[in-house]
Amino acid sequence: MNVEVQRVIESLRLGIPPDGYVRYFTVGRISEIAELTVRLQQSKSGALLLKANYGSGKSHLLRFIRETALKEGFAISSVTLDAKSSVRFNRMDQILGAVWRGLEIPHASGKGARPFFDFVCEQVYGSKGVAGEQWQRITNKDKWDFSQVLDSPANFIALRAWISGRCDKNIVEDWLFQTGKYTTKQIYQELVYKTRMCFRHELALTNTVKWQNYTTNSIIFNFKSDAYAQCWFTLRDIHTLACAAGLKGLIILFDEFEDVLSNISSIEHQKAAFQNLFQFFSGNRFQGMSFFAVTPEFVYKCKQRLLNKGHWDYDYSQFDRLPTFEMSPLEEDNLQELCRKISAIHGIAYGWDVNSETIELGLNSVVKRVASIAVQDRTRQTIKAIVQFLDEQLEENE
Ligand SMILES: Nc1ncnc2c1ncn2[C@@H]1O[C@H](COP(=O)(O)OP(=O)(O)O)[C@@H](O)[C@H]1O
Ligand SMILES: [Mg+2]
């Protein structure tokens, strides 16, 4: 019996294909998927709203994009905005922390700043790594006193400390995840003081025009001042570093984005969250790609909320201009196709013959029955019912 394949079935028992198998278990939506794949291959910047009802496949599509993007050579980060994750979209520092936590690169296991920074460092100084022109500019010809390319001084200092190998990487990563947890003094100690022997040139941040305002340590390591400016700079820098290390850029996937309506209570904070959303769509502050999963009523609900709170003087058309991708629920033929894929894998997992006529007919009627009763969430119910039927048949066969 095949343990890896059994793991796939375990996950399908709960109605969800496991990571790494999402592409295989994707059916239907051929044109939608082709369009998305082209979008990834062309590395278009900007954002897209993915609209579909509950259970219609938003999270699935985000996972599909994740797998495809990793295969195409992007860095990706998956962020879920539910009450549990406590990420508020008006708080760019929380968003940035969540992006760091969910960050993944191709061919590496694990998530976070660690695999990303390790990969970046390896590309510069590893055996294959050729410090090209862009790296010369990023590191100011290896002097590491300032960067001609990176926009966030804090992120630059973090990368520099990482490369030195003298800092505690656990602390650095934890600080990137939640910058507010550390004082300036603690982080200066870790990133600058402990690594000072590794660099012949002292930090000279004001040597570059764009960092001229970063004169004191408390500003250098501050992610909230100036309307969270350094958060946007860091997002941009992750994208820049990914590209410089040979990847295609950064893609951010936001699931459960409707949370901005239910979990932010103040209307001013909500407006700030909308503003951040528009920033992602404008592509001015972040040059990577981003995707936002919402239900079809999202735009209507946002406008309604603003109206109810008496915010008439708001440019509502901003919502209508957001590029959108609407998904229809899967049809019965799609579910039948999915069923064939699941039964083939079940056969491999438990080494039995799923190709008999009884089983084929049985599966057919299971799909028909479940697809006709469960309206919302029917794909998931169908997947569970298919596995349950196959499990029962297997037991009878034994
Ligand atoms: N195109 C698809 N092919 C195969 N399974 C899908 C597809 N889209 C969705 N599913 C499955 O449907 C179920 C519901 O999808 P999900 O993404 O969780 O919905 P949503 O996030 O919109 O509520 C999941 O079991 C998912 O694996
Ligand atoms: Mg979902």
Side-chain angles (χ1 to χ4, degrees), residues 294-308:
V294 294
T295 62
E297 307 81 47
F298 174 70
V299 164
Y300 172 78
K301 284 191 195 159
C302 292
K303 292 181 182 171
Q304 213 53 32
R305 170 93 187 148
L306 287 161
L307 282 171
N308 286 343

Side-chain angles (χ1 to χ4, degrees), residues 19-62:
D19 274 347
Y21 293 85
V22 175
R23 284 166 61 84
Y24 176 78
F25 286 110
T26 295
V27 295
R29 309 215 171 101
I30 294 172
S31 58
E32 282 138 309
I33 281 166
E35 198 183 318
L36 280 177
T37 310
V38 168
R39 207 182 162 88
L40 295 182
Q41 283 163 346
Q42 293 175 341
S43 300
K44 284 190 183 169
S45 62
L48 202 58
L49 274 188
L50 300 176
K51 276 192 196 169
N53 272 311
Y54 170 70
S56 294
K58 296 179 292 298
S59 304
H60 184 95
L61 197 64
L62 289 179

Side-chain angles (χ1 to χ4, degrees), residues 177-395:
F177 290 173
Q178 35 190 342
T179 48
K181 202 172 129 183
Y182 293 84
T183 64
T184 302
K185 204 170 151 206
Q186 283 170 313
I187 214 64
Y188 181 86
Q189 172 79 13
E190 199 58 48
L191 296 183
V192 184
Y193 188 73
K194 273 168 80 174
T195 65
R196 68 195 184 286
M197 302 310 276
C198 299
F199 300 101
R200 276 187 296 119
H201 300 268
E202 279 194 39
L203 282 170
L205 303 187
T206 50
N207 278 7
T208 173
V209 176
K210 66 179 171 219
W211 287 351
Q212 260 166 15
N213 292 332
Y214 290 92
T215 44
T216 66
N217 288 342
S218 59
I219 297 175
I220 292 170
F221 296 110
N222 191 327
F223 283 82
K224 287 189 189 169
S225 61
D226 203 4
Y228 298 101
Q230 197 157 200
C231 295
W232 286 103
F233 293 159
T234 305
L235 281 185
R236 197 143 82 197
D237 287 348
I238 298 175
H239 178 73
T240 305
L241 287 170
C243 292
L247 299 176
K248 287 192 182 160
L250 171 65
I251 297 181
I252 311 177
L253 308 170
F254 292 103
D255 204 357
E256 310 277 351
F257 193 67
E258 222 103 342
D259 185 83
V260 297
L261 289 166
S262 49
N263 272 322
I264 300 178
S265 45
S266 128
I267 187 73
E268 288 310 324
H269 291 167
Q270 231 152 22
K271 280 169 93 174
F274 295 152
Q275 221 44 53
N276 287 337
L277 175 69
F278 299 141
Q279 289 289 1
F280 273 102
F281 276 78
S282 79
N284 294 334
R285 304 194 78 174
F286 170 59
Q287 280 72 29
M289 268 185 267
S290 50
F291 294 87
F292 296 81
V294 294
T295 62
E297 307 81 47
F298 174 70
V299 164
Y300 172 78
K301 284 191 195 159
C302 292
K303 292 181 182 171
Q304 213 53 32
R305 170 93 187 148
L306 287 161
L307 282 171
N308 286 343
K309 291 281 174 182
H311 290 255
W312 308 98
D313 57 339
Y314 195 86
D315 181 6
Y316 288 89
S317 67
Q318 292 181 94
F319 287 106
D320 302 317
R321 287 196 296 267
L322 300 176
T324 300
F325 196 83
E326 283 207 50
M327 296 184 296
S328 42
L330 293 179
E331 303 290 334
E332 199 191 302
D333 328 350
N334 305 134
L335 295 175
Q336 294 287 6
E337 185 189 343
L338 186 56
C339 179
R340 285 190 289 278
K341 293 191 174 209
I342 296 171
S343 86
I345 294 290
H346 200 282
I348 296 171
Y350 299 102
W352 68 299
D353 182 15
V354 289
N355 294 315
S356 77
E357 202 176 330
T358 338
I359 288 174
E360 203 170 301
L361 288 174
L363 282 173
N364 234 308
S365 69
V366 167
V367 173
K368 272 208 166 61
R369 178 173 53 80
V370 183
S372 66
I373 35 175
V375 179
Q376 287 212 330
D377 205 22
R378 71 175 188 177
T379 308
R380 203 173 130 135
Q381 298 304 336
T382 309
I383 296 173
K384 284 162 85 170
I386 292 166
V387 180
Q388 194 187 348
F389 175 81
L390 289 165
D391 286 346
E392 284 162 10
Q393 292 297 312
L394 173 62
E395 214 162 274

